[in-house]
Amino acid sequence: MRDTDKPALTNAPQMYVHYCEEDGCKEWGGFGNSPSKAVPVRWWCWEHFPHKSYEQEQELRRKLEAAELDRGKTQ
Ligand SMILES: [Zn+2]
Protein backbone atom coordinates (compact mmCIF):
# COMPACT_ATOMS: atom_id res chain seq x y z
CA MET A 1 0.00 0.00 0.00
CA ARG A 2 1.47 3.27 -1.04
CA ASP A 3 0.52 6.79 -0.35
CA THR A 4 -1.40 8.32 -3.18
CA ASP A 5 0.19 11.42 -4.58
CA LYS A 6 -2.09 14.11 -3.48
CA PRO A 7 -1.67 17.42 -5.19
CA ALA A 8 -0.08 19.79 -2.77
CA LEU A 9 -2.25 22.61 -1.64
CA THR A 10 -0.64 25.41 -3.51
CA ASN A 11 -3.16 28.10 -2.99
CA ALA A 12 -1.02 31.17 -3.09
CA PRO A 13 -2.52 34.04 -1.19
CA GLN A 14 -4.70 35.95 -3.60
CA MET A 15 -3.01 39.26 -3.49
CA TYR A 16 -4.71 42.03 -5.32
CA VAL A 17 -1.74 43.38 -7.20
CA HIS A 18 -2.26 45.61 -10.14
CA TYR A 19 0.30 47.82 -11.74
CA CYS A 20 -0.25 50.37 -14.47
CA GLU A 21 -1.03 48.53 -17.66
CA GLU A 22 0.85 50.99 -19.86
CA ASP A 23 3.70 49.19 -21.63
CA GLY A 24 6.97 49.67 -19.79
CA CYS A 25 5.38 51.60 -16.93
CA LYS A 26 6.34 50.29 -13.49
CA GLU A 27 4.05 52.60 -11.54
CA TRP A 28 1.42 51.32 -9.18
CA GLY A 29 -1.98 51.24 -10.91
CA GLY A 30 -3.97 53.12 -8.38
CA PHE A 31 -6.68 54.28 -10.77
CA GLY A 32 -9.09 51.72 -12.14
CA ASN A 33 -11.81 52.03 -14.71
CA SER A 34 -14.35 49.61 -16.09
CA PRO A 35 -17.10 50.50 -18.55
CA SER A 36 -19.47 47.98 -16.94
CA LYS A 37 -19.65 45.33 -14.24
CA ALA A 38 -19.20 42.62 -16.87
CA VAL A 39 -15.81 44.02 -17.86
CA PRO A 40 -12.81 43.46 -15.60
CA VAL A 41 -11.42 46.66 -14.17
CA ARG A 42 -8.28 47.92 -15.85
CA TRP A 43 -5.68 49.83 -13.86
CA TRP A 44 -3.34 52.69 -14.59
CA CYS A 45 -1.12 55.07 -12.69
CA TRP A 46 -2.45 58.60 -12.61
CA GLU A 47 -0.15 59.72 -15.40
CA HIS A 48 -1.47 57.10 -17.81
CA PHE A 49 -5.04 56.96 -16.57
CA PRO A 50 -7.05 57.62 -19.77
CA HIS A 51 -10.24 58.74 -18.07
CA LYS A 52 -9.13 61.99 -16.55
CA SER A 53 -11.16 65.10 -17.10
CA TYR A 54 -9.70 67.83 -19.30
CA GLU A 55 -8.89 69.93 -16.22
CA GLN A 56 -7.16 67.02 -14.51
CA GLU A 57 -5.13 66.37 -17.66
CA GLN A 58 -4.02 70.01 -17.81
CA GLU A 59 -3.13 69.95 -14.11
CA LEU A 60 -0.97 66.86 -14.59
CA ARG A 61 0.76 68.42 -17.60
CA ARG A 62 1.67 71.45 -15.52
CA LYS A 63 3.07 69.25 -12.77
CA LEU A 64 5.13 67.19 -15.21
CA GLU A 65 6.49 70.31 -16.86
CA ALA A 66 7.39 71.81 -13.48
CA ALA A 67 9.20 68.59 -12.54
CA GLU A 68 11.00 68.70 -15.86
CA LEU A 69 12.16 72.28 -15.15
CA ASP A 70 13.31 71.33 -11.64
CA ARG A 71 15.43 68.54 -13.05
CA GLY A 72 16.98 70.91 -15.52
CA LYS A 73 17.98 73.29 -12.71
CA THR A 74 19.64 70.70 -10.48
CA GLN A 75 21.72 69.11 -13.24
ZN1 LIG B 1 1.65 54.32 -15.96
Side-chain angles (χ1 to χ4, degrees), residues 9-71:
L9 287 174
T10 51
N11 282 332
Q14 295 291 311
M15 283 179 62
Y16 200 48
V17 175
H18 47 76
Y19 289 95
C20 175
E21 67 168 52
E22 184 79 10
D23 264 355
C25 182
K26 302 282 190 291
E27 294 292 314
W28 176 251
F31 297 88
N33 185 276
S34 165
S36 84
K37 277 180 185 164
V39 180
V41 180
R42 298 167 69 191
W43 297 93
W44 294 269
C45 68
W46 179 240
E47 189 175 333
H48 292 125
F49 185 61
H51 301 280
K52 293 191 286 288
S53 72
Y54 178 77
E55 286 77 15
Q56 288 170 328
E57 187 75 57
Q58 296 303 305
E59 176 69 28
L60 177 66
R61 284 265 157 86
R62 274 198 295 273
K63 270 187 201 164
L64 290 176
E65 274 167 25
E68 224 25 65
L69 286 174
D70 275 355
R71 232 177 302 167

